[in-house]
Amino acid sequence: MRITPGVAPIARPAPARAPDSPYDGWGCTLEVRPSEIVGVRACERRGLGGLLAVHRSRSDSADAAHRGPAGSVAARLGGNRLPPLATALIDGDGRILRWSKDAEALLGYSADEVVGNLAARLVPDPGPGDRITSGRGWSGVCPVRHRDGHQVDLEFRTYPIAGPDGRLFILATASDVRALGRIEADLAILDGYFAQSPIGLAVYNTDLRFVRINRALARMNGLSPRQHLGRRLVTVLPGINGAEIERAMQHVLATGEPVVDARSHGRTPGDPENDRAWSASYFRMESLSGQVLGVASSIIDVTERFKAEAQAAQAQERLTLLAEATARIGTTLDLHQTSRELAGEVVPRLADLCTVLVREGLVASTGPEADDAEGMVLVRRLGLTATHPRFPLNKVPHEGVYRLPPGSPYTEAMVTGRTLTVPGRDLPPLVDTPFGDARSYLRHETQPVRITPLVARGTVLGVVVYARHNGREPFDAQDLAFGDELVTRAAVALDNARLYQREHEALQQANAAREQLALLNEASTRIGTTLDLQRTAQELVEVVLPRFADFVAVDLLDPVLRGEEPFLLRNDQGVVLRAVAVGEAYGSGLTDTAYAVGETSAFDSSQVYAKSLRTRRSILVPEVDEASLSEIASSPDRVAPGLAAGIHSFLMVPLLARGAVLGGAEFFRTRNPEAYTPADVALAEELVGIAAVCIDNARLYRREHETALILQRSLLPQLTHPTPGVEIAHRYLPSSVTSEVGGDWFDAVPLSGNRLALIVGDVMGHGIRAAATMGQLRTVARTLATLDMTSDQVLTRLDETATDIGEGQFATCVCALYDPADRSCTIASAGHLPPVLVTPHASPRLVELPPGLPLGIGGVEFQSVTITVPQDSILVLYTDGLIERRGQDIDEGMALLCRTLADPGRNLEEACDAVLAALETEDAEDDIAVIMAHVLPSP
């Protein structure tokens, strides 16, 4: 069957078919208005020429062009979502000849029930029923009686059909009005969503060609909807990353996995001058049967958010770069190195050329205000870096002193404290005869030069000058902020270097003092090496090499070495000295030739050495030549080796102590290019003075330390009184690290009835005061024990005594009272470590005690515990210095103590020695006190 426009139906014979029906071989032609055609469904049933169903579209929306060709609607309606379409063939008498399955589904009547009956019987209202069977084409809504009795509103369309013999037939089609309404409502909602949505929407077929697009997306792209339809994205919008987007849509088509917030960017015909950014989501469209129809997308413009994110990312990147650059600037406290690090961070990240100019007064340690007499600002170039090949980096001196006249851009930036931007051609040269290539580069190949002052802690340190080559993008706002912040942070690093340089002398002296004190502390447990003059002189040599000198010699007068008082030098008297310490930073050979330890040198009264000792003043020779070295050396044969070693600057400092001249120290520079200055003289005098004072301090300290040790040992029991049935052994060791005495003590007090009191305590802290407090507490504890007090009562009274002493003196203590009558032992603790009990047939164990609080807190109640000490057992009391070690759990120390005591093959003295051998270390920070009581077996 074909459809042609017209009014009257025209019958044409159809191709011959087998005469299974009186209607076989009939054909028909009917007219339907094109605007009403929505979809066609054709079917054949046993020789019937054709059965046509037509739905009228009610859409006359202006958005029709957005939906594409009319066939797209038919495709959208085709499929399983259409409502049932009932069809019936009625003859001219109104009798039903054919009845479709959809008609049976809508009205409940089977074909057997209605075929041959009048159609009017199904229509309760004769008016519409007559129109259906009138033989004329008609459309409208008519109620039809359902088989169960209720009425169903159907929308009818009737088509008159002329048979071969002229008989009239009627083809009637009908659909449920409510089902059609639902479909139309769904379509209206979809069309409205697509047309009115403020976000961009598009549908692509499986070839990724546009089949539908809404106005919002068309406006984003700057094209009409028709310019999209049937075309691919890469063709419609060549200015965006279309290939990447299509790959994403292909992935959605292939996998069915939606893509959310896919970013695209570029330029569109709608805004060809600016980059835009979009966020899109894609999902696959499928029919109810699972057929893949295409891809749908929703798109929103996120340009502003993209710009904000890009700016935030750029700011974060700048911040990261700034943090990294800051970490690489100021790695040393050296002005030169810090300046080079600053220039290296500016180039190439920020600029192509950078130079760092620091005020000469800071470099020379004369202060930032040290300018010349004419008011010129003196600056020294400490850093210069360039990456462009046409800048003559190798021809321009990387370090030099320049005079900046008032009013120049450099001085103006330092005076105002603000960054200046100057065209390269207007930048004045630093020297009168500038290097031509560098000047030409600044004039013709750089963007405007930025001059940023180096300001830290209110002090102007200099300026940083940097510029970009013409081939790079100009500085933007973030570049300028990055540059200013980088220079500000670098200025702090430079100022730190300046402050370090200013304090360097004091720091060296402090370091030398700390090193010497450390050596003295180390020597306190050895053979007094800190009292050796030669070692002290060698320490001075080690301190100054190589930071202050390349070669050093320290000489002492022979009377000093013999232990005699040094004599006064007359004006006409020469001097003989002996080298006691010599050192060099590099292998020049001076140590083995010109100056050797133990060798004597004689100087006449006119030579530098004798003059220095006689006047007690330092002598500086900034520039050494052959003539000056002849006055410095003790003999002419030492001049040539000195010149060969490269000696170019010399400083002589007398060694003074307690108002007497002990000798002198000579400082030489060979490889260090800087000459000695008056500031170096002051530093050297401090260093040499510290060495002399350290010798006297060592003598005084040793005397004080020995006095304190004598005091402490006098307060400890020198020997213990024998107690029947109990053997006593004890040990006391001072700290191997701490130079001061501690407050550890122990005691064994015999009591009436052959009882015995064992007491161990530890006063917190070190020094004379701790030792004195220890003596008082030991005396009181001994007295209280003899008054037949219990162990907890002894601690209670000791706590009162410690509180009365005051001054924050606290102590831990453990008191054990042993009664041989029943072998009981009553023990109380004041915050002290628990004793260890070693029995013959069991492993050593810690005695569990109420811990208690330290003595000196006041008002504390102590509790005691009574245990039985079997025969041949050992009770061990000790202080924390025995088991405590830095970085080690105290339980490990107590476990090691128990393991050491577990060996039964030793006597008591051997057990004491074994415990110290196992637990004593060279870095012990506290004194050690141990007392052991062995309960002897009954005879």
Side-chain angles (χ1 to χ4, degrees), residues 75-117:
R76 181 179 61 190
L77 293 178
N80 296 330
R81 295 192 62 85
L82 285 175
L85 179 64
T87 59
L89 185 63
I90 307 172
D91 64 10
D93 298 332
R95 294 186 180 277
I96 300 174
L97 302 178
R98 296 290 182 185
W99 187 257
S100 69
K101 292 292 185 181
D102 285 346
E104 181 178 345
L106 278 176
L107 298 177
Y109 298 102
S110 67
D112 293 338
E113 292 177 298
V114 296
V115 172
N117 293 318

Side-chain angles (χ1 to χ4, degrees), residues 390-392 395-396 434-443 445:
R390 283 195 290 273
F391 183 82
K395 297 181 180 179
V396 178
F435 294 87
D437 294 343
R439 191 65 188 155
S440 175
Y441 179 85
L442 289 173
R443 285 181 178 274
E445 299 195 44

Side-chain angles (χ1 to χ4, degrees), residues 802-837:
T803 304
D804 294 338
I805 294 175
E807 299 181 350
Q809 289 291 329
F810 301 101
T812 63
C813 182
V814 61
C815 178
L817 301 180
Y818 173 69
D819 189 347
D822 55 1
R823 300 190 184 279
S824 65
C825 185
T826 304
I827 309 173
S829 173
H832 203 81
L833 295 171
V836 176
L837 179 63

Side-chain angles (χ1 to χ4, degrees), residues 24 213 344 512 521 659 759 772:
D24 288 344
I213 181 172
N521 291 336
I759 304 172

Side-chain angles (χ1 to χ4, degrees), residues 431-641:
V431 294
D432 295 334
T433 57
F435 294 87
D437 294 343
R439 191 65 188 155
S440 175
Y441 179 85
L442 289 173
R443 285 181 178 274
H444 305 294
E445 299 195 44
T446 64
Q447 301 176 29
V449 179
R450 289 179 60 80
I451 306 174
T452 302
L454 287 161
V455 182
R457 302 181 181 98
T459 301
V460 179
L461 310 176
V463 292
V464 179
V465 184
Y466 59 96
R468 281 185 175 177
H469 188 265
N470 287 332
R472 288 182 66 174
E473 291 288 333
F475 293 117
D476 58 21
Q478 290 196 0
D479 291 330
L480 300 181
F482 175 76
D484 291 342
E485 182 63 22
L486 180 61
V487 172
T488 298
R489 297 191 181 192
V492 175
L494 287 169
D495 195 50
N496 291 339
R498 175 182 72 89
L499 295 175
Y500 169 79
Q501 183 170 312
R502 188 181 67 184
E503 302 297 331
H504 184 54
E505 299 173 2
L507 181 62
Q508 281 187 319
Q509 295 169 7
N511 286 339
R514 281 196 294 269
E515 291 175 7
Q516 292 169 3
L517 287 175
L519 292 175
L520 291 174
N521 291 336
E522 254 182 66
S524 63
T525 57
R526 301 193 220 169
I527 312 174
T529 57
T530 56
L531 300 177
D532 182 79
L533 294 178
Q534 184 172 347
R535 178 58 188 157
T536 303
Q538 187 61 38
E539 291 169 359
L540 173 62
V541 172
E542 293 170 356
V543 168
V544 299
L545 291 176
R547 291 173 295 177
F548 186 75
D550 299 324
F551 180 82
V552 183
V554 179
D555 307 303
L556 293 178
L557 296 170
D558 267 347
V560 175
L561 293 173
R562 294 193 301 266
E564 302 174 2
E565 287 293 329
F567 53 83
L568 297 177
L569 298 177
R570 301 188 305 271
N571 292 338
D572 58 349
Q573 184 180 0
V575 62
V576 177
L577 298 106
R578 189 176 300 275
V580 294
V582 177
E584 60 180 330
Y586 312 99
S588 64
L590 288 175
T591 303
D592 300 326
T593 58
Y595 299 91
V597 174
E599 183 179 350
T600 59
S601 302
F603 301 89
D604 61 38
S605 61
S606 63
Q607 288 185 293
V608 170
Y609 215 125
K611 290 179 181 178
S612 176
L613 297 186
R614 186 170 58 250
T615 61
R616 301 187 179 189
R617 292 182 180 178
S618 301
I619 295 180
L620 171 64
V621 183
E623 302 293 335
V624 173
D625 53 18
E626 184 176 357
S628 59
L629 190 56
S630 299
E631 295 183 2
I632 295 171
S634 59
S635 63
D637 60 347
R638 293 183 175 179
V639 175

Side-chain angles (χ1 to χ4, degrees), residues 23-99:
Y23 309 105
D24 288 344
W26 291 6
C28 64
T29 300
L30 42 123
E31 173 198 2
V32 183
R33 294 180 182 177
S35 62
E36 296 180 342
I37 297 176
V38 178
V40 175
R41 182 171 63 189
C43 67
E44 290 187 349
R45 179 184 175 90
R46 292 185 52 81
L48 184 62
L51 194 59
L52 175 68
V54 180
H55 286 280
R56 178 172 61 87
S57 170
R58 299 185 181 276
S59 174
D60 56 355
S61 170
D63 195 41
H66 300 213
R67 300 194 299 269
S72 65
V73 177
R76 181 179 61 190
L77 293 178
N80 296 330
R81 295 192 62 85
L82 285 175
L85 179 64
T87 59
L89 185 63
I90 307 172
D91 64 10
D93 298 332
R95 294 186 180 277
I96 300 174
L97 302 178
R98 296 290 182 185
W99 187 257

Side-chain angles (χ1 to χ4, degrees), residues 644-681:
I647 295 176
H648 66 87
S649 190
F650 170 78
L651 177 59
M652 167 66 197
V653 180
L655 188 63
L656 308 175
R658 302 183 306 277
V661 178
L662 306 179
E666 298 172 291
F667 302 94
F668 299 85
R669 283 185 175 171
T670 56
R671 295 194 182 184
N672 187 338
E674 298 293 331
Y676 284 117
T677 64
D680 293 326
V681 174

